[in-house]
Each structure stands twice: as C-alpha cells, then as structure tokens.
Amino acid sequence: MNAILGGMWRAYLRRVVRLGFAAAIVVGVLTAESSMWLRTAADGHIFTVADVPAAPVVMVLGAQVYDDGTPSPFLEARLELARQLYAAGKVKAILVSGDHMDWGYDEPGNMWLWLNAHGVPAGRIIEDHAGFDTYDSCARAKRVFGVDKMIIVTQAFHLERAVTLCRHLGVDATGVGDTTMARFRAPWLQASAREYGAADKAAWDVLSGRDPVFLGRPETSVREALDQG
C-alpha cells in the first residue's frame, strides 16, 4: 500500500511540476509580447529635451516624496526635465499627476511646490491628485483635464509604457526620459526589471478599458493655464 501511495504522490508531483513549467512559459510569452507591444507603439515618439516637438502641456508622473515633502531623487529628476521644457518654451503648462490617497502623503502638492520654487509660475502648474498609476494619470489627463496633446516626463525605463498608454487613451503623447538616475545602479535595475510585470498590467488595463480608480468631473484648470498665453 505504501508503495502504491508513494507512486501516486510522485506522479502527482510530476504533473504539478509540468503544469508549473507550462504556466511559466505562458506567462513569459505574454510578458514578452506585452513588452514588445509597448516598445513598438512608443517607437518614434521618444525624444530629448532639445529635440522634442513643442506641446501645450507636459505631464510629470509622480514618484516617492519623503516625509518632509522633499521629492525623492527620481522624482526631482522628472521635475527638472519639466522645468527645462518650460524654460525652453516647449510647453506652456505643467500637469503634475501623482498619489494623494492619504491626507498626509501628497505627491502632486509637493511637486507643485518644487516647480514653483524653481521658477515656474504658480498659474502654470496644475495638480492631479488621483494619478494613482500610469494608466490613471493618462486617462485623467484626457477625460478630466481635457488634454489632447502633451509631453510626458519620467525615467527612461518607464517611458515606453507611459507614452503607449497615453496614446492608446487618446492623447497625442511624446516622451522625454531621465537617465541621470542610472547612477543609482541597484534601484535603477530593480525598477527596470519591474517594468516587465508592469507591461502585463498595462496590456490588461488596455484590454479591459477600465475607468481610473477615481474619475471625477471635468476640470478647466489646464485650459485656464493655457489661456494665459
């Protein structure tokens, strides 16, 4: 009896291993396809500060803010790119989109403070407090703030996904990516590796056509900033 049970258990384990291996292959193929889709869709839409075509708006995607309100180095690098684009006359308004899920943590508010302290007029900075992920930021830029054309700034490893999602959601988006943070080798590589999983989520978001976590009513703040001339 023990020999029979042992043989059944071994056969069961072999089936589990085979199924696990097959599932890993399927996931790997889907991830590769999702990553290729992002890369192909963003091709021709990624530039440097110097050569990016002008657009009415630049959107800065949020990242970590420290407890004292200071942007993390990765976020500060994104904000600096937006500041350069504004100073060069490439954009007229800056939309800062990030996480403000909890009262004590405010990415867009602190992004606003940094930009204003670095020379961007208050009336040119618009806050999106419900940019909980890249998809939500893109969807809200279009559906809440009425943005039809914009530049996106984020780190280079994130840019293909951001540009592709925004373009899929109806925004004529180009992108400028920061590479200065690559000097922090470990976090840069870790974030780059996470993009493979994020590619699968991006594909699912697009296929599902989901609404943002919080959509809300249309706002006129971007139009008002642009109307200043």
Side-chain angles (χ1 to χ4, degrees):
M1 179 63 71
N2 288 338
I4 295 173
L5 291 175
M8 293 174 63
W9 177 246
R10 286 191 294 274
Y12 171 76
L13 287 177
R14 285 194 294 270
R15 285 196 295 272
V16 169
V17 170
R18 285 196 295 268
L19 287 172
F21 185 68
I25 291 175
V26 170
V27 170
V29 169
L30 291 175
T31 298
E33 290 291 333
S34 298
S35 298
M36 182 61 69
W37 161 62
L38 295 178
R39 187 174 302 112
T40 301
D43 186 43
H45 304 294
I46 293 176
F47 301 89
T48 66
V49 170
D51 62 15
V52 67
V57 181
V58 57
M59 181 169 72
V60 186
L61 295 173
Q64 183 183 13
V65 170
Y66 296 137
D67 290 343
D68 64 357
T70 303
S72 62
F74 278 66
L75 180 54
E76 186 171 14
R78 301 178 187 188
L79 293 167
E80 173 58 19
L81 284 178
R83 186 202 66 77
Q84 291 176 22
L85 288 166
Y86 180 80
K90 291 292 184 82
V91 299
K92 295 182 178 180
I94 301 177
L95 175 62
V96 291
S97 181
D99 189 347
H100 194 183
M101 184 75 78
D102 297 321
W103 182 255
Y105 182 77
D106 183 1
E107 288 178 1
N110 287 293
M111 292 158 75
W112 188 101
L113 290 172
W114 189 97
L115 287 167
N116 187 238
H118 288 78
V120 181
R124 299 291 185 172
I125 313 168
I126 304 95
E127 299 172 63
D128 173 14
H129 290 269
F132 300 129
D133 63 15
T134 306
Y135 181 92
D136 284 18
S137 292
C138 291
R140 284 176 53 81
K142 176 68 175 181
R143 297 171 64 183
V144 174
F145 294 95
V147 176
D148 295 316
K149 183 176 182 178
M150 70 180 176
I151 302 168
I152 305 168
V153 294
T154 182
Q155 267 66 51
F157 56 73
H158 179 203
L159 197 57
E160 290 174 344
R161 177 163 59 93
V163 168
T164 296
L165 284 173
C166 281
R167 294 186 70 83
H168 174 82
L169 291 166
V171 181
D172 181 5
T174 55
V176 175
D178 165 69
T179 58
T180 64
M181 291 299 101
R183 68 180 184 270
F184 299 111
R185 182 172 176 79
W188 181 274
L189 291 176
Q190 290 168 6
S192 298
R194 285 197 297 270
E195 280 299 307
Y196 290 103
D200 290 336
K201 181 181 181 300
W204 172 252
D205 286 338
V206 165
L207 289 172
S208 67
R210 70 171 178 85
D211 284 333
V213 172
F214 179 78
L215 183 58
R217 294 177 295 179
E219 297 187 20
T220 60
S221 47
V222 169
R223 175 50 52 196
E224 292 166 5
L226 295 176
D227 285 345
Q228 296 178 40

